[in-house]
Amino acid sequence: MINLLRAFKPLAVDFLSTIVFVAVYAATGDIRAGIAVGIAIGVGQIGSIFWRGKRPDLMQWASLALVVVLGSTSLITNDPRFAMVKPSIGAFAIGCVMLKPNWMGRYLPPIVKENVAEGVLIAWGYIWSAMIFALAFANLFVALTLGPKTWAWYTSIVPLSAQLGLFLLQYASLRFTVRRNIRARLAPAPAE
């Protein structure tokens, strides 16, 4: 279980501002408060990375840009429809970033990189991208056709559930592949 949580941590950190935005909005019903807290966390995370003497990678910059630019636009326009469509815009941008081969490399421990074919890891990246695009289209549909109450339910449950489900599927698959490949490498050669 500890390995599972360790594997999930970088993804949760990258999307922390989005997670907090949804949590604050769900708890208070105040989209402005959710956006403000999300922006503060996003900026704080990038500041923390620089403070530790490191450089943010593409996914971290993309996450910050989505929070600051789209969040600020939501605050300026004060239009709930824009706020409801905002996750789709963010998901489309993230889906595009995920089209870069081997974007998952920073999330994977060395044992996975050493024991799973690069093509398999790249394929998992494209699977993630496809799912994010599907969630973006689904959010757009819900936001524009089903109203704010349904959208609030949808955005609080469906994207996180879908991503957690795919994460668990990928984790189990890669864990199985790593174990199988290590066993095969360590197995004694058949006697002739």
Side-chain angles (χ1 to χ4, degrees):
M1 184 63 161
I2 291 174
N3 286 337
L4 177 64
L5 294 175
R6 202 175 289 140
F8 190 68
K9 183 182 174 187
L11 192 59
V13 169
D14 281 355
F15 292 101
L16 181 63
S17 59
T18 302
I19 293 166
V20 171
F21 159 74
V22 170
V24 170
Y25 176 57
T28 65
D30 184 354
I31 201 158
R32 298 176 75 77
I35 291 168
V37 171
I39 289 172
I41 287 177
V43 170
Q45 283 181 296
I46 295 294
S48 170
I49 292 167
F50 279 118
W51 184 74
R52 289 180 285 162
K54 297 182 179 182
R55 300 187 89 175
D57 71 9
L58 185 59
M59 284 294 279
Q60 292 163 322
W61 280 118
S63 180
L64 177 66
L66 292 173
V67 169
V68 172
V69 173
L70 298 175
S72 298
T73 303
S74 293
L75 290 173
I76 292 168
T77 63
N78 201 24
D79 185 347
R81 290 174 297 161
F82 181 82
M84 290 165 53
V85 171
K86 186 180 87 151
S88 290
I89 296 168
F92 284 127
I94 290 169
C96 288
V97 170
M98 289 178 166
L99 289 173
K100 179 183 176 194
N102 203 26
W103 67 266
M104 288 191 317
R106 74 180 283 272
Y107 299 102
L108 301 172
I111 194 168
V112 172
K113 294 177 194 176
E114 294 163 3
N115 292 287
V116 178
E118 185 179 3
V120 171
L121 300 177
I122 290 171
W124 272 110
Y126 290 141
I127 291 168
W128 271 97
S129 180
M131 188 196 64
I132 296 299
F133 281 123
L135 288 171
F137 282 114
N139 181 77
L140 198 57
F141 174 80
V142 171
L144 297 177
T145 62
L146 301 178
K149 288 183 182 178
T150 303
W151 174 82
W153 173 85
Y154 167 84
T155 197
S156 298
I157 295 171
V158 175
L160 183 59
S161 298
Q163 291 176 58
L164 183 58
L166 183 59
F167 173 81
L168 292 172
L169 179 65
Q170 178 185 4
Y171 181 84
S173 171
L174 293 179
R175 184 175 172 94
F176 172 80
T177 303
V178 166
R179 286 177 171 230
R180 184 193 64 206
N181 290 345
I182 289 174
R183 280 190 201 121
R185 195 172 53 245
L186 298 176
E192 292 183 17

